[in-house]
């Protein structure tokens, strides 16, 4: 069976049910989308990536996007966006940012011209970014940037549980840590919610929703659990 084959390859499997983007792709897309939205708001890409690195991610989301190539990423996003009504898409400027960059001939690291320029002295932010994405004039503190990047992932993972794509929160955590290297200090995307406590996490998501849009609205599953003082895991 499939699980036996995976064991033979010394891989750690998780079980997911069918759904648009399955599990890994939809959560990573929410994370990537938040990074591109920050970029479209006029934030410097090296700031966004540095916040992600300091939070425990192994590589910045925009540096990773350049490695993936922006043209391929645009196709991936289109393939998992469905009719555009998914909660994680609401208010995101991901498609807009990708269209703007690729229209300007920025395709990624392979061509030496993506979000970053790639020269002899390493990557440097493309000088044309401020023209493509003028600053709104509002400065975000690093803590807010970090919350937007990490909470976007946890929220989408909870939605995957709510949708029945993931049945076991442990699978969600294992997939996040081993699949795309979510900071293991939290134990995974659901572990982050558990670490903060569901009620506190919901309150912080409400604050993010009020400032940045409906994609940060806590799913009903979390609201119900907070009302029952429930948890995903027993300490």
């Amino acid at each position: 069976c499939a699980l036996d084959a995976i064991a033979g390859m010394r891989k750690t499997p998780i079980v997911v049910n069918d759904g648009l983007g399955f599990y890994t792709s939809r959560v990573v897309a929410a994370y990537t989308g938040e990074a591109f939205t920050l970029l479209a708001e006029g934030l410097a890409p090296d700031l966004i990536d540095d916040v992600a690195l300091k939070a425990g991610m192994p590589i910045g989301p925009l540096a990773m996007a350049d490695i993936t190539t922006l043209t391929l990423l645009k196709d991936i996003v289109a393939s998992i966006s469905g009719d555009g009504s998914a909660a994680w898409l609401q208010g995101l400027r991901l498609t807009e940012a990708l269209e703007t960059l690729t229209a300007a001939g920025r395709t990624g690291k392979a061509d030496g011209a993506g979000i970053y320029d790639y020269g002899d002295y390493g990557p440097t932010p493309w000088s044309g970014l401020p023209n493509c994405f003028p600053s709104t004039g509002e400065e975000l503190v690093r803590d807010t940037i970090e919350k937007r990047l990490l909470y976007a992932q946890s929220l989408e993972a909870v939605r995957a549980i709510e949708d029945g794509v993931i049945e076991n929160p442990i699978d969600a955590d294992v997939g996040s840590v081993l699949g795309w290297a979510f900071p293991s200090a939290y134990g995974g995307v659901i572990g982050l919610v558990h670490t903060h406590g569901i009620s506190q996490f919901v309150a912080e998501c409400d604050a993010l929703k009020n400032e940045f849009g409906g994609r940060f609205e806590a799913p009903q599953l979390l609201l119900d659990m907070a009302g029952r003082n429930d948890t995903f895991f027993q300490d």
Side-chain angles (χ1 to χ4, degrees):
C1 70
L3 293 178
D4 290 334
I6 293 169
M9 293 185 285
R10 296 185 176 182
K11 301 295 184 181
T12 302
I14 63 170
V15 177
V16 302
N17 294 314
D18 194 13
L20 193 62
F22 292 97
Y23 169 62
T24 300
S25 293
R26 65 186 278 182
V27 179
V28 172
Y31 169 51
T32 304
E34 201 59 43
F36 272 92
T37 301
L38 288 161
L39 181 72
E41 291 170 3
L43 272 69
D46 46 347
L47 169 61
I48 298 165
D49 281 349
D50 186 64
V51 169
L53 289 169
K54 294 295 195 305
M57 300 298 293
I59 184 172
L62 299 176
M64 188 69 242
D66 267 357
I67 292 172
T68 304
T69 75
L70 304 184
T71 48
L72 176 57
L73 185 57
K74 189 166 69 168
D75 290 340
I76 292 171
V77 170
S79 73
I80 65 173
S81 294
D83 62 4
S85 64
W88 67 272
L89 284 164
Q90 304 313 303
L92 281 184
R93 297 177 64 181
L94 173 57
T95 300
E96 169 202 337
L98 286 170
E99 291 285 357
T100 299
L101 288 164
T102 54
R106 311 299 293 187
T107 56
K109 185 176 181 180
D111 293 326
I115 299 164
Y116 296 93
D117 282 322
Y118 295 87
D120 294 337
Y121 300 100
T124 56
W126 175 42
S127 61
L129 287 172
N131 293 327
C132 290
F133 310 117
S135 173
T136 62
E138 297 182 16
E139 294 188 11
L140 294 182
V141 298
R142 293 177 67 96
D143 182 62
T144 299
I145 299 170
E146 179 177 321
K147 282 182 179 178
R148 286 177 62 174
L149 293 173
L150 296 187
Y151 284 28
Q153 299 177 66
S154 292
L155 282 168
E156 191 57 23
V158 172
R159 293 183 192 114
I161 293 173
E162 190 174 57
D163 292 344
V165 172
I166 288 278
E167 296 183 1
N168 191 331
I170 288 291
D171 281 341
D173 276 347
V174 169
S176 67
V177 173
L178 299 184
W180 68 89
F182 187 86
S184 60
Y186 292 112
V189 283
I190 302 301
L192 182 147
V193 180
H194 182 76
T195 297
H196 289 291
I198 291 178
S199 294
Q200 179 62 31
F201 183 80
V202 167
E204 293 184 6
C205 286
D206 281 344
L208 290 171
K209 178 189 70 174
N210 291 336
E211 189 168 1
F212 303 110
R215 65 188 177 280
F216 288 105
E217 183 171 5
Q220 190 62 45
L221 173 63
L222 285 185
L223 298 178
D224 292 344
M225 292 179 71
R228 299 191 305 268
N229 198 27
D230 202 356
T231 61
F232 283 105
F233 308 116
Q234 297 299 317
D235 289 325

